[in-house]
Amino acid sequence: MLSFWEKNSFLNYDFIIIGSGILGLSTACCIKEKNKKAKVLVLEEGIFPTGASTKNAGFACFGSLTEILADIKNLGESATFSLVEKRYKGIQKLRQRLGDKNIGYENYGGFELIMNKHMHCLDQLSSINKNLNHVFSEDVFSIRNEKIKEFGFNESQVKAVIFSKFESQIDTGKMMYSFIDYANSLGIRILTGCEAASYSEKENYVKVFIKGNDAGNKIELSAKKLFICTNAFTNKILPDINIKPGRGQVLITKPVENLKFKGVFHIDEGFYYFRNFENRVLFGGGRNLDFETEESTEFAVNEKILSDLKKKLSEIILPGQNFEIDLSWTGIMGFSKNRLPVVNNISDRVACVMSCNGMGVALSSEIADEITGK
Ligand SMILES: Cc1cc2nc3c(=O)[nH]c(=O)nc-3n(C[C@H](O)[C@H](O)[C@H](O)COP(=O)(O)OP(=O)(O)OC[C@H]3O[C@@H](n4cnc5c(N)ncnc54)[C@H](O)[C@@H]3O)c2cc1C
């Protein structure tokens, strides 16, 4: 049974946000930055954030050339270019909010390795540059084929390299740790190990029901407004929403002697990506090899994908170089049907937001700003 004091001080909030990933924390911080007096609570099922935000590759990117061209096929030019702009603006907002040092921000640029299959995309490079000039004020992409040899890639497979000086990298763990510190400094309450099971709308407030057994107490929290930021796990709360999970496999090597490259690298429309981290190579992707199995919220390894990553690492990225895998893991992304951010205002009091489609580092700050108003 709850005491008078518990009922009086712990149950009622102005805003409740479910999910403490980068989007949930960005939303909570935006609310507090705009309204210092608001009582804001974030609920997190894990002991720390356990979705995509602590598992990702830490690319501060906005889409490689082949990825942008694939997006144009699905979304059309105008929606794609505005998405690129939102991603780029989102990265700048994240940097401003937390500070470059606190997120391990480093700018070594971004590169795309072009294989035979995508050589035709180079024909569209100058038109994409022109269309994105209003975002970057100069050419965003240029060809840098000399990097194939300089970086030690397999010259029989990599046919061209595209460079963008506007892409950067962050330290994902540092960024999320700093984000929690920042949220705490604003007076945002974060309850971890706390799964929101469901909610129910009343006339003037929303009730949020917490799963679990807190000494037999049935915990019902209430807020004037609820934001559901649970990404790939949203269907547990809102079964009808069209967000599909997509598992991503990542591995990291032990430090590689004389590693020749720095920066973030894309291959094959963003389906593969790698980067340096303190002389290690972080390499991920391969979901496109087995889309069906990877549409899962289970943090399990797909051996077929993992062995493909190891093969590509030794044949394309580090040919003839010795390396050892230190660790591999999976993370779960959320995907909307058309790859656009989902802002679903279920009512005046409840919104479900899923910004990311594999690019939440870039998009979350911008989307959070939009959904929290002035
Ligand atoms: C392997 C991988 C690599 C990636 N690489 C990049 C990259 O380089 N650059 C980039 O921009 N993006 C990348 N992404 C995508 C990016 O990580 C995501 O878009 C972003 O983290 C999504 O943030 P989020 O807050 O929406 O969701 P999440 O981080 O998934 O957060 C959702 C949170 O909600 C919690 N939760 C779920 N259900 C409940 C509940 N019922 N009650 C309470 N809490 C709940 C979860 O525990 C989780 O912490 C990558 C993703 C993966 C998986």
Side-chain angles (χ1 to χ4, degrees), residues 86-110:
K86 274 190 182 164
R87 289 168 182 157
Y88 189 59
K89 279 189 178 166
I91 294 165
Q92 310 319 316
K93 279 192 180 155
L94 178 68
R95 294 175 62 193
Q96 275 160 19
R97 177 171 282 134
L98 298 179
D100 285 352
K101 195 162 166 246
N102 295 327
I103 64 176
Y105 178 89
E106 287 174 311
N107 175 246
Y108 303 123

mmCIF file with all atom_site columns, all heavy atoms in Angstrom, residues 86-110:
data_model
loop_
_atom_site.group_PDB
_atom_site.id
_atom_site.type_symbol
_atom_site.label_atom_id
_atom_site.label_alt_id
_atom_site.label_comp_id
_atom_site.label_asym_id
_atom_site.label_entity_id
_atom_site.label_seq_id
_atom_site.pdbx_PDB_ins_code
_atom_site.Cartn_x
_atom_site.Cartn_y
_atom_site.Cartn_z
_atom_site.occupancy
_atom_site.B_iso_or_equiv
_atom_site.pdbx_formal_charge
_atom_site.auth_seq_id
_atom_site.auth_comp_id
_atom_site.auth_asym_id
_atom_site.auth_atom_id
_atom_site.pdbx_PDB_model_num
ATOM 1   N N   . LYS A 1 86  ? 17.470 17.749 -42.039 1.00 0.00 ? 86  LYS A N   1
ATOM 2   C CA  . LYS A 1 86  ? 17.097 17.514 -40.628 1.00 0.00 ? 86  LYS A CA  1
ATOM 3   C C   . LYS A 1 86  ? 18.185 16.737 -39.897 1.00 0.00 ? 86  LYS A C   1
ATOM 4   O O   . LYS A 1 86  ? 18.482 16.996 -38.740 1.00 0.00 ? 86  LYS A O   1
ATOM 5   C CB  . LYS A 1 86  ? 15.801 16.696 -40.557 1.00 0.00 ? 86  LYS A CB  1
ATOM 6   C CG  . LYS A 1 86  ? 14.577 17.546 -40.628 1.00 0.00 ? 86  LYS A CG  1
ATOM 7   C CD  . LYS A 1 86  ? 13.342 16.760 -40.319 1.00 0.00 ? 86  LYS A CD  1
ATOM 8   C CE  . LYS A 1 86  ? 12.159 17.705 -40.481 1.00 0.00 ? 86  LYS A CE  1
ATOM 9   N NZ  . LYS A 1 86  ? 10.896 17.071 -40.570 1.00 0.00 ? 86  LYS A NZ  1
ATOM 10  N N   . ARG A 1 87  ? 18.749 15.742 -40.580 1.00 0.00 ? 87  ARG A N   1
ATOM 11  C CA  . ARG A 1 87  ? 19.815 14.953 -39.941 1.00 0.00 ? 87  ARG A CA  1
ATOM 12  C C   . ARG A 1 87  ? 21.006 15.852 -39.614 1.00 0.00 ? 87  ARG A C   1
ATOM 13  O O   . ARG A 1 87  ? 21.555 15.800 -38.517 1.00 0.00 ? 87  ARG A O   1
ATOM 14  C CB  . ARG A 1 87  ? 20.260 13.822 -40.887 1.00 0.00 ? 87  ARG A CB  1
ATOM 15  C CG  . ARG A 1 87  ? 19.240 12.717 -41.058 1.00 0.00 ? 87  ARG A CG  1
ATOM 16  C CD  . ARG A 1 87  ? 19.648 11.826 -42.216 1.00 0.00 ? 87  ARG A CD  1
ATOM 17  N NE  . ARG A 1 87  ? 18.682 10.763 -42.467 1.00 0.00 ? 87  ARG A NE  1
ATOM 18  C CZ  . ARG A 1 87  ? 18.559 10.144 -43.636 1.00 0.00 ? 87  ARG A CZ  1
ATOM 19  N NH1 . ARG A 1 87  ? 19.326 10.458 -44.654 1.00 0.00 ? 87  ARG A NH1 1
ATOM 20  N NH2 . ARG A 1 87  ? 17.675 9.181  -43.782 1.00 0.00 ? 87  ARG A NH2 1
ATOM 21  N N   . TYR A 1 88  ? 21.396 16.676 -40.586 1.00 0.00 ? 88  TYR A N   1
ATOM 22  C CA  . TYR A 1 88  ? 22.578 17.518 -40.389 1.00 0.00 ? 88  TYR A CA  1
ATOM 23  C C   . TYR A 1 88  ? 22.326 18.538 -39.266 1.00 0.00 ? 88  TYR A C   1
ATOM 24  O O   . TYR A 1 88  ? 23.164 18.731 -38.389 1.00 0.00 ? 88  TYR A O   1
ATOM 25  C CB  . TYR A 1 88  ? 22.953 18.215 -41.703 1.00 0.00 ? 88  TYR A CB  1
ATOM 26  C CG  . TYR A 1 88  ? 24.283 18.910 -41.611 1.00 0.00 ? 88  TYR A CG  1
ATOM 27  C CD1 . TYR A 1 88  ? 25.439 18.187 -41.308 1.00 0.00 ? 88  TYR A CD1 1
ATOM 28  C CD2 . TYR A 1 88  ? 24.395 20.283 -41.784 1.00 0.00 ? 88  TYR A CD2 1
ATOM 29  C CE1 . TYR A 1 88  ? 26.665 18.815 -41.187 1.00 0.00 ? 88  TYR A CE1 1
ATOM 30  C CE2 . TYR A 1 88  ? 25.623 20.919 -41.667 1.00 0.00 ? 88  TYR A CE2 1
ATOM 31  C CZ  . TYR A 1 88  ? 26.749 20.180 -41.367 1.00 0.00 ? 88  TYR A CZ  1
ATOM 32  O OH  . TYR A 1 88  ? 27.970 20.804 -41.240 1.00 0.00 ? 88  TYR A OH  1
ATOM 33  N N   . LYS A 1 89  ? 21.132 19.126 -39.279 1.00 0.00 ? 89  LYS A N   1
ATOM 34  C CA  . LYS A 1 89  ? 20.799 20.093 -38.219 1.00 0.00 ? 89  LYS A CA  1
ATOM 35  C C   . LYS A 1 89  ? 20.755 19.401 -36.862 1.00 0.00 ? 89  LYS A C   1
ATOM 36  O O   . LYS A 1 89  ? 21.142 19.958 -35.845 1.00 0.00 ? 89  LYS A O   1
ATOM 37  C CB  . LYS A 1 89  ? 19.437 20.719 -38.497 1.00 0.00 ? 89  LYS A CB  1
ATOM 38  C CG  . LYS A 1 89  ? 19.469 21.831 -39.500 1.00 0.00 ? 89  LYS A CG  1
ATOM 39  C CD  . LYS A 1 89  ? 18.103 22.493 -39.517 1.00 0.00 ? 89  LYS A CD  1
ATOM 40  C CE  . LYS A 1 89  ? 18.046 23.657 -40.451 1.00 0.00 ? 89  LYS A CE  1
ATOM 41  N NZ  . LYS A 1 89  ? 16.660 24.066 -40.708 1.00 0.00 ? 89  LYS A NZ  1
ATOM 42  N N   . GLY A 1 90  ? 20.220 18.170 -36.850 1.00 0.00 ? 90  GLY A N   1
ATOM 43  C CA  . GLY A 1 90  ? 20.110 17.402 -35.601 1.00 0.00 ? 90  GLY A CA  1
ATOM 44  C C   . GLY A 1 90  ? 21.481 17.166 -34.980 1.00 0.00 ? 90  GLY A C   1
ATOM 45  O O   . GLY A 1 90  ? 21.653 17.263 -33.762 1.00 0.00 ? 90  GLY A O   1
ATOM 46  N N   . ILE A 1 91  ? 22.467 16.870 -35.818 1.00 0.00 ? 91  ILE A N   1
ATOM 47  C CA  . ILE A 1 91  ? 23.832 16.641 -35.303 1.00 0.00 ? 91  ILE A CA  1
ATOM 48  C C   . ILE A 1 91  ? 24.359 17.922 -34.646 1.00 0.00 ? 91  ILE A C   1
ATOM 49  O O   . ILE A 1 91  ? 24.946 17.880 -33.570 1.00 0.00 ? 91  ILE A O   1
ATOM 50  C CB  . ILE A 1 91  ? 24.777 16.197 -36.450 1.00 0.00 ? 91  ILE A CB  1
ATOM 51  C CG1 . ILE A 1 91  ? 24.362 14.835 -36.997 1.00 0.00 ? 91  ILE A CG1 1
ATOM 52  C CG2 . ILE A 1 91  ? 26.226 16.134 -35.965 1.00 0.00 ? 91  ILE A CG2 1
ATOM 53  C CD1 . ILE A 1 91  ? 24.977 14.483 -38.340 1.00 0.00 ? 91  ILE A CD1 1
ATOM 54  N N   . GLN A 1 92  ? 24.112 19.058 -35.302 1.00 0.00 ? 92  GLN A N   1
ATOM 55  C CA  . GLN A 1 92  ? 24.612 20.323 -34.731 1.00 0.00 ? 92  GLN A CA  1
ATOM 56  C C   . GLN A 1 92  ? 23.922 20.600 -33.390 1.00 0.00 ? 92  GLN A C   1
ATOM 57  O O   . GLN A 1 92  ? 24.544 21.079 -32.446 1.00 0.00 ? 92  GLN A O   1
ATOM 58  C CB  . GLN A 1 92  ? 24.397 21.511 -35.692 1.00 0.00 ? 92  GLN A CB  1
ATOM 59  C CG  . GLN A 1 92  ? 24.884 21.292 -37.132 1.00 0.00 ? 92  GLN A CG  1
ATOM 60  C CD  . GLN A 1 92  ? 26.215 20.564 -37.235 1.00 0.00 ? 92  GLN A CD  1
ATOM 61  O OE1 . GLN A 1 92  ? 27.155 20.857 -36.501 1.00 0.00 ? 92  GLN A OE1 1
ATOM 62  N NE2 . GLN A 1 92  ? 26.297 19.571 -38.123 1.00 0.00 ? 92  GLN A NE2 1
ATOM 63  N N   . LYS A 1 93  ? 22.639 20.261 -33.290 1.00 0.00 ? 93  LYS A N   1
ATOM 64  C CA  . LYS A 1 93  ? 21.914 20.494 -32.023 1.00 0.00 ? 93  LYS A CA  1
ATOM 65  C C   . LYS A 1 93  ? 22.451 19.595 -30.907 1.00 0.00 ? 93  LYS A C   1
ATOM 66  O O   . LYS A 1 93  ? 22.576 20.009 -29.763 1.00 0.00 ? 93  LYS A O   1
ATOM 67  C CB  . LYS A 1 93  ? 20.420 20.223 -32.203 1.00 0.00 ? 93  LYS A CB  1
ATOM 68  C CG  . LYS A 1 93  ? 19.722 21.386 -32.839 1.00 0.00 ? 93  LYS A CG  1
ATOM 69  C CD  . LYS A 1 93  ? 18.216 21.278 -32.757 1.00 0.00 ? 93  LYS A CD  1
ATOM 70  C CE  . LYS A 1 93  ? 17.616 22.506 -33.434 1.00 0.00 ? 93  LYS A CE  1
ATOM 71  N NZ  . LYS A 1 93  ? 16.296 22.315 -33.948 1.00 0.00 ? 93  LYS A NZ  1
ATOM 72  N N   . LEU A 1 94  ? 22.758 18.341 -31.259 1.00 0.00 ? 94  LEU A N   1
ATOM 73  C CA  . LEU A 1 94  ? 23.318 17.413 -30.259 1.00 0.00 ? 94  LEU A CA  1
ATOM 74  C C   . LEU A 1 94  ? 24.656 17.957 -29.744 1.00 0.00 ? 94  LEU A C   1
ATOM 75  O O   . LEU A 1 94  ? 24.931 17.949 -28.538 1.00 0.00 ? 94  LEU A O   1
ATOM 76  C CB  . LEU A 1 94  ? 23.507 16.022 -30.892 1.00 0.00 ? 94  LEU A CB  1
ATOM 77  C CG  . LEU A 1 94  ? 24.129 14.955 -30.002 1.00 0.00 ? 94  LEU A CG  1
ATOM 78  C CD1 . LEU A 1 94  ? 23.176 14.564 -28.869 1.00 0.00 ? 94  LEU A CD1 1
ATOM 79  C CD2 . LEU A 1 94  ? 24.505 13.710 -30.806 1.00 0.00 ? 94  LEU A CD2 1
ATOM 80  N N   . ARG A 1 95  ? 25.478 18.449 -30.667 1.00 0.00 ? 95  ARG A N   1
ATOM 81  C CA  . ARG A 1 95  ? 26.790 19.008 -30.289 1.00 0.00 ? 95  ARG A CA  1
ATOM 82  C C   . ARG A 1 95  ? 26.608 20.212 -29.378 1.00 0.00 ? 95  ARG A C   1
ATOM 83  O O   . ARG A 1 95  ? 27.299 20.351 -28.364 1.00 0.00 ? 95  ARG A O   1
ATOM 84  C CB  . ARG A 1 95  ? 27.557 19.434 -31.539 1.00 0.00 ? 95  ARG A CB  1
ATOM 85  C CG  . ARG A 1 95  ? 27.938 18.279 -32.428 1.00 0.00 ? 95  ARG A CG  1
ATOM 86  C CD  . ARG A 1 95  ? 28.599 18.775 -33.704 1.00 0.00 ? 95  ARG A CD  1
ATOM 87  N NE  . ARG A 1 95  ? 29.829 19.487 -33.425 1.00 0.00 ? 95  ARG A NE  1
ATOM 88  C CZ  . ARG A 1 95  ? 30.470 20.241 -34.314 1.00 0.00 ? 95  ARG A CZ  1
ATOM 89  N NH1 . ARG A 1 95  ? 29.982 20.380 -35.531 1.00 0.00 ? 95  ARG A NH1 1
ATOM 90  N NH2 . ARG A 1 95  ? 31.582 20.846 -33.997 1.00 0.00 ? 95  ARG A NH2 1
ATOM 91  N N   . GLN A 1 96  ? 25.651 21.086 -29.739 1.00 0.00 ? 96  GLN A N   1
ATOM 92  C CA  . GLN A 1 96  ? 25.439 22.292 -28.922 1.00 0.00 ? 96  GLN A CA  1
ATOM 93  C C   . GLN A 1 96  ? 24.948 21.927 -27.530 1.00 0.00 ? 96  GLN A C   1
ATOM 94  O O   . GLN A 1 96  ? 25.346 22.490 -26.533 1.00 0.00 ? 96  GLN A O   1
ATOM 95  C CB  . GLN A 1 96  ? 24.400 23.190 -29.570 1.00 0.00 ? 96  GLN A CB  1
ATOM 96  C CG  . GLN A 1 96  ? 24.976 24.120 -30.611 1.00 0.00 ? 96  GLN A CG  1
ATOM 97  C CD  . GLN A 1 96  ? 23.912 24.628 -31.563 1.00 0.00 ? 96  GLN A CD  1
ATOM 98  O OE1 . GLN A 1 96  ? 22.718 24.584 -31.259 1.00 0.00 ? 96  GLN A OE1 1
ATOM 99  N NE2 . GLN A 1 96  ? 24.334 25.083 -32.720 1.00 0.00 ? 96  GLN A NE2 1
ATOM 100 N N   . ARG A 1 97  ? 24.041 20.939 -27.483 1.00 0.00 ? 97  ARG A N   1
ATOM 101 C CA  . ARG A 1 97  ? 23.425 20.601 -26.193 1.00 0.00 ? 97  ARG A CA  1
ATOM 102 C C   . ARG A 1 97  ? 24.434 19.982 -25.237 1.00 0.00 ? 97  ARG A C   1
ATOM 103 O O   . ARG A 1 97  ? 24.502 20.352 -24.068 1.00 0.00 ? 97  ARG A O   1
ATOM 104 C CB  . ARG A 1 97  ? 22.254 19.633 -26.420 1.00 0.00 ? 97  ARG A CB  1
ATOM 105 C CG  . ARG A 1 97  ? 21.614 19.176 -25.127 1.00 0.00 ? 97  ARG A CG  1
ATOM 106 C CD  . ARG A 1 97  ? 20.335 18.410 -25.347 1.00 0.00 ? 97  ARG A CD  1
ATOM 107 N NE  . ARG A 1 97  ? 19.230 19.302 -25.637 1.00 0.00 ? 97  ARG A NE  1
ATOM 108 C CZ  . ARG A 1 97  ? 18.350 19.129 -26.623 1.00 0.00 ? 97  ARG A CZ  1
ATOM 109 N NH1 . ARG A 1 97  ? 18.453 18.092 -27.424 1.00 0.00 ? 97  ARG A NH1 1
ATOM 110 N NH2 . ARG A 1 97  ? 17.368 19.987 -26.794 1.00 0.00 ? 97  ARG A NH2 1
ATOM 111 N N   . LEU A 1 98  ? 25.229 19.029 -25.707 1.00 0.00 ? 98  LEU A N   1
ATOM 112 C CA  . LEU A 1 98  ? 26.081 18.268 -24.790 1.00 0.00 ? 98  LEU A CA  1
ATOM 113 C C   . LEU A 1 98  ? 27.556 18.675 -24.840 1.00 0.00 ? 98  LEU A C   1
ATOM 114 O O   . LEU A 1 98  ? 28.301 18.390 -23.903 1.00 0.00 ? 98  LEU A O   1
ATOM 115 C CB  . LEU A 1 98  ? 25.957 16.767 -25.081 1.00 0.00 ? 98  LEU A CB  1
ATOM 116 C CG  . LEU A 1 98  ? 24.553 16.169 -24.893 1.00 0.00 ? 98  LEU A CG  1
ATOM 117 C CD1 . LEU A 1 98  ? 24.556 14.687 -25.224 1.00 0.00 ? 98  LEU A CD1 1
ATOM 118 C CD2 . LEU A 1 98  ? 24.024 16.380 -23.481 1.00 0.00 ? 98  LEU A CD2 1
ATOM 119 N N   . GLY A 1 99  ? 27.971 19.321 -25.927 1.00 0.00 ? 99  GLY A N   1
ATOM 120 C CA  . GLY A 1 99  ? 29.391 19.725 -26.053 1.00 0.00 ? 99  GLY A CA  1
ATOM 121 C C   . GLY A 1 99  ? 30.203 18.624 -26.718 1.00 0.00 ? 99  GLY A C   1
ATOM 122 O O   . GLY A 1 99  ? 30.057 17.448 -26.383 1.00 0.00 ? 99  GLY A O   1
ATOM 123 N N   . ASP A 1 100 ? 31.092 19.023 -27.644 1.00 0.00 ? 100 ASP A N   1
ATOM 124 C CA  . ASP A 1 100 ? 31.868 18.040 -28.426 1.00 0.00 ? 100 ASP A CA  1
ATOM 125 C C   . ASP A 1 100 ? 32.684 17.094 -27.542 1.00 0.00 ? 100 ASP A C   1
ATOM 126 O O   . ASP A 1 100 ? 32.776 15.907 -27.803 1.00 0.00 ? 100 ASP A O   1
ATOM 127 C CB  . ASP A 1 100 ? 32.804 18.771 -29.409 1.00 0.00 ? 100 ASP A CB  1
ATOM 128 C CG  . ASP A 1 100 ? 32.028 19.337 -30.593 1.00 0.00 ? 100 ASP A CG  1
ATOM 129 O OD1 . ASP A 1 100 ? 30.819 19.032 -30.714 1.00 0.00 ? 100 ASP A OD1 1
ATOM 130 O OD2 . ASP A 1 100 ? 32.625 20.077 -31.391 1.00 0.00 ? 100 ASP A OD2 1
ATOM 131 N N   . LYS A 1 101 ? 33.287 17.656 -26.485 1.00 0.00 ? 101 LYS A N   1
ATOM 132 C CA  . LYS A 1 101 ? 34.153 16.836 -25.633 1.00 0.00 ? 101 LYS A CA  1
ATOM 133 C C   . LYS A 1 101 ? 33.334 15.730 -24.955 1.00 0.00 ? 101 LYS A C   1
ATOM 134 O O   . LYS A 1 101 ? 33.774 14.582 -24.845 1.00 0.00 ? 101 LYS A O   1
ATOM 135 C CB  . LYS A 1 101 ? 34.811 17.746 -24.595 1.00 0.00 ? 101 LYS A CB  1
ATOM 136 C CG  . LYS A 1 101 ? 35.964 17.118 -23.909 1.00 0.00 ? 101 LYS A CG  1
ATOM 137 C CD  . LYS A 1 101 ? 36.842 18.151 -23.227 1.00 0.00 ? 101 LYS A CD  1
ATOM 138 C CE  . LYS A 1 101 ? 37.771 17.422 -22.280 1.00 0.00 ? 101 LYS A CE  1
ATOM 139 N NZ  . LYS A 1 101 ? 37.493 17.749 -20.895 1.00 0.00 ? 101 LYS A NZ  1
ATOM 140 N N   . ASN A 1 102 ? 32.146 16.101 -24.517 1.00 0.00 ? 102 ASN A N   1
ATOM 141 C CA  . ASN A 1 102 ? 31.311 15.149 -23.759 1.00 0.00 ? 102 ASN A CA  1
ATOM 142 C C   . ASN A 1 102 ? 30.715 14.040 -24.623 1.00 0.00 ? 102 ASN A C   1
ATOM 143 O O   . ASN A 1 102 ? 30.189 13.062 -24.097 1.00 0.00 ? 102 ASN A O   1
ATOM 144 C CB  . ASN A 1 102 ? 30.179 15.890 -23.041 1.00 0.00 ? 102 ASN A CB  1
ATOM 145 C CG  . ASN A 1 102 ? 30.716 16.813 -21.989 1.00 0.00 ? 102 ASN A CG  1
ATOM 146 O OD1 . ASN A 1 102 ? 31.733 16.510 -21.371 1.00 0.00 ? 102 ASN A OD1 1
ATOM 147 N ND2 . ASN A 1 102 ? 30.075 17.953 -21.796 1.00 0.00 ? 102 ASN A ND2 1
ATOM 148 N N   . ILE A 1 103 ? 30.720 14.239 -25.932 1.00 0.00 ? 103 ILE A N   1
ATOM 149 C CA  . ILE A 1 103 ? 30.169 13.178 -26.795 1.00 0.00 ? 103 ILE A CA  1
ATOM 150 C C   . ILE A 1 103 ? 31.283 12.496 -27.602 1.00 0.00 ? 103 ILE A C   1
ATOM 151 O O   . ILE A 1 103 ? 31.012 11.660 -28.449 1.00 0.00 ? 103 ILE A O   1
ATOM 152 C CB  . ILE A 1 103 ? 29.047 13.695 -27.731 1.00 0.00 ? 103 ILE A CB  1
ATOM 153 C CG1 . ILE A 1 103 ? 29.559 14.739 -28.736 1.00 0.00 ? 103 ILE A CG1 1
ATOM 154 C CG2 . ILE A 1 103 ? 27.899 14.289 -26.921 1.00 0.00 ? 103 ILE A CG2 1
ATOM 155 C CD1 . ILE A 1 103 ? 28.481 15.186 -29.746 1.00 0.00 ? 103 ILE A CD1 1
ATOM 156 N N   . GLY A 1 104 ? 32.525 12.865 -27.325 1.00 0.00 ? 104 GLY A N   1
ATOM 157 C CA  . GLY A 1 104 ? 33.653 12.273 -28.063 1.00 0.00 ? 104 GLY A CA  1
ATOM 158 C C   . GLY A 1 104 ? 33.577 12.581 -29.547 1.00 0.00 ? 104 GLY A C   1
ATOM 159 O O   . GLY A 1 104 ? 33.916 11.740 -30.387 1.00 0.00 ? 104 GLY A O   1
ATOM 160 N N   . TYR A 1 105 ? 33.142 13.803 -29.861 1.00 0.00 ? 105 TYR A N   1
ATOM 161 C CA  . TYR A 1 105 ? 32.965 14.181 -31.272 1.00 0.00 ? 105 TYR A CA  1
ATOM 162 C C   . TYR A 1 105 ? 34.314 14.373 -31.944 1.00 0.00 ? 105 TYR A C   1
ATOM 163 O O   . TYR A 1 105 ? 35.174 15.075 -31.433 1.00 0.00 ? 105 TYR A O   1
ATOM 164 C CB  . TYR A 1 105 ? 32.157 15.482 -31.326 1.00 0.00 ? 105 TYR A CB  1
ATOM 165 C CG  . TYR A 1 105 ? 31.940 16.035 -32.716 1.00 0.00 ? 105 TYR A CG  1
ATOM 166 C CD1 . TYR A 1 105 ? 30.841 15.648 -33.477 1.00 0.00 ? 105 TYR A CD1 1
ATOM 167 C CD2 . TYR A 1 105 ? 32.832 16.949 -33.266 1.00 0.00 ? 105 TYR A CD2 1
ATOM 168 C CE1 . TYR A 1 105 ? 30.635 16.164 -34.752 1.00 0.00 ? 105 TYR A CE1 1
ATOM 169 C CE2 . TYR A 1 105 ? 32.634 17.470 -34.539 1.00 0.00 ? 105 TYR A CE2 1
ATOM 170 C CZ  . TYR A 1 105 ? 31.528 17.070 -35.270 1.00 0.00 ? 105 TYR A CZ  1
ATOM 171 O OH  . TYR A 1 105 ? 31.333 17.578 -36.526 1.00 0.00 ? 105 TYR A OH  1
ATOM 172 N N   . GLU A 1 106 ? 34.497 13.720 -33.097 1.00 0.00 ? 106 GLU A N   1
ATOM 173 C CA  . GLU A 1 106 ? 35.723 13.921 -33.875 1.00 0.00 ? 106 GLU A CA  1
ATOM 174 C C   . GLU A 1 106 ? 35.368 14.010 -35.347 1.00 0.00 ? 106 GLU A C   1
ATOM 175 O O   . GLU A 1 106 ? 34.513 13.266 -35.822 1.00 0.00 ? 106 GLU A O   1
ATOM 176 C CB  . GLU A 1 106 ? 36.706 12.770 -33.635 1.00 0.00 ? 106 GLU A CB  1
ATOM 177 C CG  . GLU A 1 106 ? 37.331 12.868 -32.259 1.00 0.00 ? 106 GLU A CG  1
ATOM 178 C CD  . GLU A 1 106 ? 38.210 11.682 -31.917 1.00 0.00 ? 106 GLU A CD  1
ATOM 179 O OE1 . GLU A 1 106 ? 37.750 10.540 -32.105 1.00 0.00 ? 106 GLU A OE1 1
ATOM 180 O OE2 . GLU A 1 106 ? 39.336 11.898 -31.471 1.00 0.00 ? 106 GLU A OE2 1
ATOM 181 N N   . ASN A 1 107 ? 36.028 14.919 -36.036 1.00 0.00 ? 107 ASN A N   1
ATOM 182 C CA  . ASN A 1 107 ? 35.717 15.116 -37.451 1.00 0.00 ? 107 ASN A CA  1
ATOM 183 C C   . ASN A 1 107 ? 36.892 14.671 -38.329 1.00 0.00 ? 107 ASN A C   1
ATOM 184 O O   . ASN A 1 107 ? 37.834 15.431 -38.552 1.00 0.00 ? 107 ASN A O   1
ATOM 185 C CB  . ASN A 1 107 ? 35.376 16.596 -37.711 1.00 0.00 ? 107 ASN A CB  1
ATOM 186 C CG  . ASN A 1 107 ? 35.158 16.857 -39.185 1.00 0.00 ? 107 ASN A CG  1
ATOM 187 O OD1 . ASN A 1 107 ? 35.916 17.576 -39.829 1.00 0.00 ? 107 ASN A OD1 1
ATOM 188 N ND2 . ASN A 1 107 ? 34.149 16.243 -39.748 1.00 0.00 ? 107 ASN A ND2 1
ATOM 189 N N   . TYR A 1 108 ? 36.819 13.425 -38.765 1.00 0.00 ? 108 TYR A N   1
ATOM 190 C CA  . TYR A 1 108 ? 37.805 12.933 -39.737 1.00 0.00 ? 108 TYR A CA  1
ATOM 191 C C   . TYR A 1 108 ? 37.160 12.762 -41.110 1.00 0.00 ? 108 TYR A C   1
ATOM 192 O O   . TYR A 1 108 ? 37.746 12.196 -42.012 1.00 0.00 ? 108 TYR A O   1
ATOM 193 C CB  . TYR A 1 108 ? 38.379 11.582 -39.297 1.00 0.00 ? 108 TYR A CB  1
ATOM 194 C CG  . TYR A 1 108 ? 39.020 11.602 -37.931 1.00 0.00 ? 108 TYR A CG  1
ATOM 195 C CD1 . TYR A 1 108 ? 38.579 10.743 -36.923 1.00 0.00 ? 108 TYR A CD1 1
ATOM 196 C CD2 . TYR A 1 108 ? 40.072 12.471 -37.649 1.00 0.00 ? 108 TYR A CD2 1
ATOM 197 C CE1 . TYR A 1 108 ? 39.164 10.750 -35.667 1.00 0.00 ? 108 TYR A CE1 1
ATOM 198 C CE2 . TYR A 1 108 ? 40.661 12.484 -36.396 1.00 0.00 ? 108 TYR A CE2 1
ATOM 199 C CZ  . TYR A 1 108 ? 40.205 11.619 -35.413 1.00 0.00 ? 108 TYR A CZ  1
ATOM 200 O OH  . TYR A 1 108 ? 40.788 11.633 -34.176 1.00 0.00 ? 108 TYR A OH  1
ATOM 201 N N   . GLY A 1 109 ? 35.894 13.173 -41.212 1.00 0.00 ? 109 GLY A N   1
ATOM 202 C CA  . GLY A 1 109 ? 35.187 13.050 -42.485 1.00 0.00 ? 109 GLY A CA  1
ATOM 203 C C   . GLY A 1 109 ? 34.537 11.687 -42.650 1.00 0.00 ? 109 GLY A C   1
ATOM 204 O O   . GLY A 1 109 ? 34.747 10.762 -41.854 1.00 0.00 ? 109 GLY A O   1
ATOM 205 N N   . GLY A 1 110 ? 33.730 11.610 -43.712 1.00 0.00 ? 110 GLY A N   1
ATOM 206 C CA  . GLY A 1 110 ? 33.030 10.362 -44.028 1.00 0.00 ? 110 GLY A CA  1
ATOM 207 C C   . GLY A 1 110 ? 33.360 9.949  -45.451 1.00 0.00 ? 110 GLY A C   1
ATOM 208 O O   . GLY A 1 110 ? 33.612 10.804 -46.322 1.00 0.00 ? 110 GLY A O   1
#
